[in-house]
């Protein structure tokens, strides 16, 4: 999903500076902070189980293996975005 393969989607990317290029989304730094502050709980695991068994047939790997997040998404705390007005956040 959102990989640009379907004709009505774009290849969206996470960025600490979403204003730098079209089709970038989210503030990676903020999403990583949320991940660290709100660890996976039993309710999320149950939801992941239900979605897998009843709807999609696949699992959210970040629920099953939350330790993958910092290995896949690198947070560059020294990054600054000269074009975003709130780049210092």
């Amino acid at each position: 999903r959102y990989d640009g393969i379907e004709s009505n989607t774009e290849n969206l990317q996470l960025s600490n500076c979403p204003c730098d290029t079209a089709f970038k989304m989210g503030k990676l730094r903020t999403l990583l902070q949320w991940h660290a502050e709100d660890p996976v709980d039993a309710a999320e695991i149950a939801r992941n189980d239900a979605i897998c068994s009843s709807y999609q047939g696949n699992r959210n790997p970040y629920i099953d293996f939350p330790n993958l997040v910092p290995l896949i998404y690198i947070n560059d705390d020294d990054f600054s975005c000269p074009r975003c007005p709130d780049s210092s956040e």
Side-chain angles (χ1 to χ4, degrees):
R1 180 181 257 189
Y2 307 118
D3 58 7
I5 293 173
E6 291 83 18
S7 61
N8 63 345
T9 65
E10 300 296 336
N11 185 15
L12 299 178
Q13 301 171 20
L14 292 172
S15 172
N16 278 326
C17 184
C19 67
D20 67 352
T21 305
F23 309 121
K24 292 213 175 181
M25 59 181 259
K27 284 188 96 172
L28 177 59
R29 182 178 297 120
T30 301
L31 296 173
L32 291 173
Q33 179 181 350
W34 287 346
H35 174 75
E37 292 175 359
D38 184 21
V40 174
D41 59 21
E44 287 176 299
I45 293 168
R47 181 175 184 270
N48 197 29
D49 292 341
I51 289 170
C52 178
S53 63
S54 300
Y55 300 102
Q56 293 180 191
N58 63 350
R59 303 184 62 77
N60 180 338
Y62 302 116
I63 300 295
D64 292 334
F65 306 101
N67 58 318
L68 291 177
V69 171
L71 299 174
I72 294 170
Y73 297 102
I74 298 169
N75 185 19
D76 182 0
D77 287 329
D78 295 328
F79 177 84
S80 63
C81 179
R83 296 192 296 189
C84 286
D86 64 344
S87 63
S88 62
E89 291 181 358

